[in-house]
């Protein structure tokens, strides 16, 4: 592939106050949506903007390892929900006592109610075996795909669209349902749809599962466990 010299450098000035605040607002008010989806279909142009945002994520070696499977068929979504439900029952058995009871009370997906699901995958072979930046960490392509998920999620928040990340399933079940090749990794099943409102705080915090940690306790200086000044 020949180099593309058509681009040029552009200014790196900070955003305006309004633009900056909008970025931080999207970050701070993004939520994992599970039960507030409206039935309204998302227009194609909005879906295209979300996917374009995802496709502009950073990726190791610029390999762009992601694919996006758009799922609207109710039969496919039902099969995915059944896969989730089986895994969710298994997950419930991994907790004990009150924690198990609380887990079983949580709504952890919106597969059947969201008008759109997006399965985000990672193709580790997109750039061959030796990839710039992946030579010493084979997971960098997966991390890159997660960046694409985050881009899509933040763009969705700006559009007033809710997103819920479903991770409770056996990957092989979803691969069978969607015909995903064995070598391709499933990174995320995203439930996507308009919502009337978002929780002011993360839902798991509101429902008592876990609270946000203090940032000050997570920042070290120069080496592990050396508190920041």
């Amino acid at each position: 592939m020949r180099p593309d010299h058509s681009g040029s450098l552009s200014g790196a000035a900070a955003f305006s106050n309004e633009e900056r605040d909008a970025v931080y607002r999207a970050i701070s008010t993004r939520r994992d949506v599970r039960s507030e989806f409206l039935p309204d279909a998302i227009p194609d142009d909005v879906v295209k903007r979300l996917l374009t945002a995802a496709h502009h994520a950073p990726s190791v070696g610029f390999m762009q390892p992601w694919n996006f499977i758009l799922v609207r068929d109710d039969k496919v979504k039902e099969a995915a929900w059944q896969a989730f439900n089986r895994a969710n029952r298994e997950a419930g058995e991994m907790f004990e006592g009150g924690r198990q009871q609380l887990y079983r009370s949580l709504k952890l997906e919106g597969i059947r109610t969201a008008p759109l699901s997006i399965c985000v995958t990672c193709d580790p072979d997109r750039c061959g075996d030796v990839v710039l930046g992946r030579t010493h960490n084979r997971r960098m392509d997966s991390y890159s795909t997660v960046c694409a998920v985050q881009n899509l999620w933040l763009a969705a928040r700006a559009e007033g669209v809710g997103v819920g990340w479903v991770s409770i399933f056996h990957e092989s079940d979803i691969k069978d349902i969607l015909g995903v090749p064995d070598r391709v990794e499933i990174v995320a099943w995203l439930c996507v749809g308009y919502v009337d409102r978002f929780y002011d705080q993360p839902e798991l915090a509101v429902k008592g599962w876990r609270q946000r940690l203090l940032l000050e306790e997570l920042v070290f200086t120069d080496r592990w466990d050396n508190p920041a000044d």
Side-chain angles (χ1 to χ4, degrees):
M1 182 179 295
R2 299 182 62 183
D4 180 0
H5 297 298
S6 61
S8 61
L9 296 174
S10 58
F15 289 1
S16 70
N17 289 343
E18 292 78 12
E19 292 169 331
R20 181 200 62 203
D21 290 347
V23 171
Y24 285 118
R25 182 186 174 204
I27 292 170
S28 64
T29 63
R30 180 213 55 79
R31 295 290 176 262
D32 194 356
V33 177
R34 301 181 175 96
S35 58
E36 296 82 31
F37 291 110
L38 301 175
D40 312 64
I42 304 174
D44 290 343
D45 61 322
V46 177
V47 175
K48 181 66 177 296
R49 288 198 294 272
L50 300 184
L51 295 177
T52 300
H55 189 46
H56 279 75
S59 62
V60 63
F62 201 40
M63 70 181 296
Q64 304 157 77
W66 41 72
N67 282 92
F68 308 95
I69 304 173
L70 306 182
V71 180
R72 296 186 176 92
D73 188 292
D74 287 340
K75 291 182 180 178
V76 178
K77 288 194 287 186
E78 178 64 23
W81 184 86
Q82 293 292 344
F84 159 81
N85 192 44
R86 290 191 296 271
N88 192 46
R89 290 198 301 269
E90 295 171 358
E93 296 299 323
M94 299 177 188
F95 299 95
E96 297 180 352
R99 203 67 168 168
Q100 183 180 98
Q101 183 178 359
L102 178 55
Y103 178 89
R104 295 191 184 282
S105 73
L106 297 172
K107 179 75 163 62
L108 297 177
E109 51 73 39
I111 296 173
R112 295 190 291 189
T113 57
L116 172 66
S117 284
I118 303 176
C119 183
V120 186
T121 64
C122 172
D123 185 346
D125 299 332
R126 181 141 301 164
C127 291
D129 187 56
V130 181
V131 179
L132 188 158
R134 198 183 64 173
T135 54
H136 291 71
N137 187 339
R138 299 291 295 182
R139 296 291 291 159
M140 288 303 297
D141 46 13
S142 300
Y143 303 155
S144 299
T145 305
V146 172
C147 289
V149 172
Q150 179 78 332
N151 269 20
L152 187 153
W153 216 333
L154 294 176
R157 180 62 190 91
E159 297 276 2
V161 172
V163 176
W165 186 333
V166 183
S167 60
I168 304 170
F169 51 74
H170 292 287
E171 185 181 35
S172 59
D173 288 343
I174 302 301
K175 284 185 174 182
D176 288 344
I177 293 167
L178 299 180
V180 175
D182 287 340
R183 63 179 178 78
V184 173
E185 178 187 6
I186 293 178
V187 172
W189 180 289
L190 304 177
C191 302
V192 184
Y194 286 111
V195 292
D196 273 336
R197 56 192 182 274
F198 293 100
Y199 278 96
D200 291 335
Q201 300 294 325
E203 185 175 353
L204 290 181
V206 172
K207 295 186 176 179
W209 184 260
R210 187 171 173 83
Q211 301 304 308
R212 190 180 300 280
L213 302 174
L214 293 175
L215 175 60
E216 293 76 13
E217 296 176 357
L218 308 176
V219 181
F220 304 145
T221 299
D222 294 330
R223 59 182 291 113
W224 179 263
D225 213 21
N226 183 33
D229 294 334

